[in-house]
Amino acid sequence: MDSPLQSLPLFMVGPVPIMPAVVVTWAIMAALVLGAALLTRRLTMVPSKAQGLAELLVDTVDSQIRDVTGAAPAPYRAFIGTLFVFILSANWSSLIPGVTPPTGTMETPAALAALVFLSIIGFGVREGGVRGFLRGFALPNPAMIPLNILESVTRSFSMFVRLFGNVMSGVFVIAIVGSLAALLVPIPLMALDLLTGAVQAYIFAVLSMVFITSAVEKGEPQLKEA
Amino acid sequence: MSFDLWTLGFQAVNVLVLVWLLHRFFWTPIAGLIADRQAKASTLLDEAAAERAEANAALSEIEATRTGLAEERNAMLAAARKDAECVRDALLEAAKAEVETLNDTAKAARVRAAEALKAKAIADARGLALSIAGKLVARLDATATEAAFLGWLRQGIAGLSEVDRKALAISDLEVVSAAEADPAAQDRIAAAIASALGTPVPLIFRTDPALIAGLELHGSHFTMRNSWRADLARIAGALGDKDALPDGP
């Protein structure tokens, strides 16, 4: 049995290896975008069941953002909501036989954590300016600058490791149990994996929002002082 | 364990592209629709509130109008009641006047009826008295009766003044008797009158049964009553009922 931590490219495009996680991500992207396009093509004031579900999702994301930040959700909705939907879809893709969830490999959670890290910088700079954002590292005093910089890196790294570890462990456990026991035995573990995947998607999205909000709030006092 | 940077880059770009695509095809349209619905709902609520305010205002206006109508109705009722009272008073006055008129008319009618009854009773009494007197006379001796009345006639003429007797003696005298006087009786009567007047006078004899009994002497300007009818009339007059036995012809 190959290590679940190691994946082989499906094919090569010149020197560029195309991993299964990338292909599954493309499939997930295609399904999500196609479904969204079909759903939003005929929006009505009296919603259908699918439209009602979509509106419930948007409203839930908005209320979560509003609860965490206390601000209007529009600037953060697309990024936070897409992170949640993508991670949830990627985690639940493990239900399809033969598909390894993209979040079960290190590259995808790392890419997501990197995007969150960059988005913290981007939203912080946009709200407080470069100086305001950088001054946020000197709070509560300049002696904390190294620690704050280290914290900003490590909390993104912790998000990467948390997501990767939970999903990978779930895949790993199901694979081991499936190889040892009968066909139906892994089903309870797969149900647990569904719950874990939903919880991890929610945690990743909420933590991203919390970190972004923290950066934005740190930049605001600088603006007021200026 | 391996970590492929190409895959890291692919996944980062994939997620960014997905963020952009879902932002375009999912989040923005759905959020816009929700905002539109909320705006429309807010507008509908505002319109409903405005319509409710208008309805309340209209209701207040209707209440005011209804109050005005009630006051107007009360005023009209009061005026109608006052008119009705005036009409009732007028009708009562008219009815009272009519009742008084009817009472007066009925009283006059009663008086007239009583008078008519009284006159009829008098006439009946007179007829009855005549009938009684006639029956009494029929039982008396006609000759004695004639003599008695002739004597009373002679006494009456004798009781007149000399001037009256002379005036009688030159006037046309009419002797009225209750029963037709035969020639012998006429001669006795003429002799008695001539004796009383002191001179014979021409006499005309006439019969009037209404006298019941007696002899009366009628001149152009003189009448000497000497009959039961005259006696009954005097008696009735003495009793205060002058109409009980009216004078005969």
Side-chain angles (χ1 to χ4, degrees), chain B residues 142-143 146 175 177-190 205-207 215:
Chain B
T143 306
E146 179 189 333
V175 176
S177 61
E180 185 175 358
D182 55 10
Q186 289 180 2
D187 290 339
R188 287 192 298 272
I189 293 167
F205 289 93
R206 186 169 55 87
T207 302
L215 290 171

Side-chain angles (χ1 to χ4, degrees), chain B residues 1-45:
Chain B
M1 186 176 190
S2 63
F3 190 88
D4 185 43
L5 289 177
W6 283 106
T7 304
L8 175 69
F10 269 126
Q11 293 297 73
V13 171
N14 284 340
V15 172
L16 282 178
V17 170
L18 183 63
V19 168
W20 181 78
L21 288 174
L22 289 184
H23 172 69
R24 178 177 173 81
F25 290 110
F26 185 74
W27 303 107
T28 301
I30 297 289
L33 181 71
I34 292 173
D36 286 347
R37 184 183 292 126
Q38 287 176 343
K40 286 185 178 178
S42 178
T43 303
L44 286 174
L45 286 174

Side-chain angles (χ1 to χ4, degrees), chain A residues 32-48:
Chain A
L32 289 176
V33 172
L34 189 63
L38 289 175
L39 185 66
T40 57
R41 194 173 55 179
R42 292 176 184 173
L43 293 176
T44 57
M45 279 294 164
V46 179
S48 61

Side-chain angles (χ1 to χ4, degrees), chain A residues 73-137:
Chain A
Y76 313 106
R77 180 190 300 127
F79 182 68
I80 301 298
T82 303
L83 280 181
F84 174 74
V85 171
F86 173 71
I87 294 170
L88 183 69
S89 304
N91 291 346
W92 284 4
S93 66
S94 63
L95 292 178
I96 302 172
V99 173
T100 299
T103 47
T105 61
M106 285 193 292
E107 290 85 354
T108 306
L112 293 170
L115 287 176
V116 170
F117 179 78
L118 294 175
S119 70
I120 290 170
I121 298 171
F123 282 112
V125 170
R126 193 179 70 173
E127 294 295 329
V130 176
R131 294 182 63 183
F133 174 73
L134 292 178
R135 282 180 181 174
F137 286 98

